[in-house]
Amino acid sequence: MLEPLVDTDGAPFWQYAAQGELRVQTCADCGEPRFPPRPCCPHCQSFASEWRPVSGRGRIWSYVVPHPPLLPDYAERAPYNVILVELADAPRIRLVGNLVREAGAPLDSLDPDRVRVGARVQVVFDPATGLPQWILERS
């Protein structure tokens, strides 16, 4: 299992995810959310920040379906999807992930033909790893 590379600025994101919470770094002075996490606000240049919860709802802004040749750890799972999710309550924030059938399902658990730009999605967390994944929102 590949694990995310965790740096000092992004560590809280992964800590909250391990607890089943989706939070984004937000400027404590101007209130602007930002991702990826970084020390300074790109809007007001403040170094004050906090981690605010977001709903975990969004829409697929873009996606790709990689096919071999790929890195060996991924080649046997292909084809699978990689989606870019625009968050509903922070539309300037876009998170990369995978659309799966259910929490904890493997990368290739959903037929790539079901992925559509604009589809509404909801975050779930893999119970084994705590990593965020995405599922299609139920209407």
Side-chain angles (χ1 to χ4, degrees):
M1 178 75 188
L2 297 175
E3 295 188 17
L5 179 63
V6 178
D7 63 6
T8 304
D9 294 320
F13 175 85
W14 299 109
Q15 291 166 347
Y16 286 116
Q19 299 169 22
E21 293 183 57
L22 187 63
R23 291 184 180 231
V24 295
Q25 188 184 47
T26 304
C27 179
D29 288 331
C30 75
E32 189 67 31
R34 61 183 184 251
F35 198 88
R38 49 195 171 267
C40 181
C41 176
H43 300 279
C44 74
Q45 286 69 53
S46 170
F47 284 91
S49 68
E50 58 192 11
W51 286 84
R52 292 188 185 161
V54 291
S55 69
R57 296 190 188 297
R59 68 177 190 92
I60 297 175
W61 191 80
S62 185
Y63 72 96
V64 65
V65 179
H67 291 78
L70 297 165
L71 295 171
D73 288 339
Y74 293 99
E76 65 188 36
R77 299 177 188 197
Y80 58 89
N81 66 74
V82 178
I83 62 173
L84 187 59
V85 175
E86 179 183 70
L87 295 179
D89 43 359
R92 286 192 238 183
I93 303 290
R94 296 190 182 118
L95 302 177
V96 175
N98 303 101
L99 188 62
V100 294
R101 187 176 15 84
E102 61 190 6
L107 297 180
D108 61 355
S109 66
L110 194 75
D111 182 344
D113 289 337
R114 295 198 55 204
V115 182
R116 297 281 183 264
V117 169
R120 294 179 188 271
V121 293
Q122 171 69 46
V123 74
V124 293
F125 296 89
D126 184 322
T129 65
L131 295 176
Q133 299 176 302
W134 299 90
I135 59 170
L136 291 169
E137 196 173 79
R138 310 283 186 237
S139 319

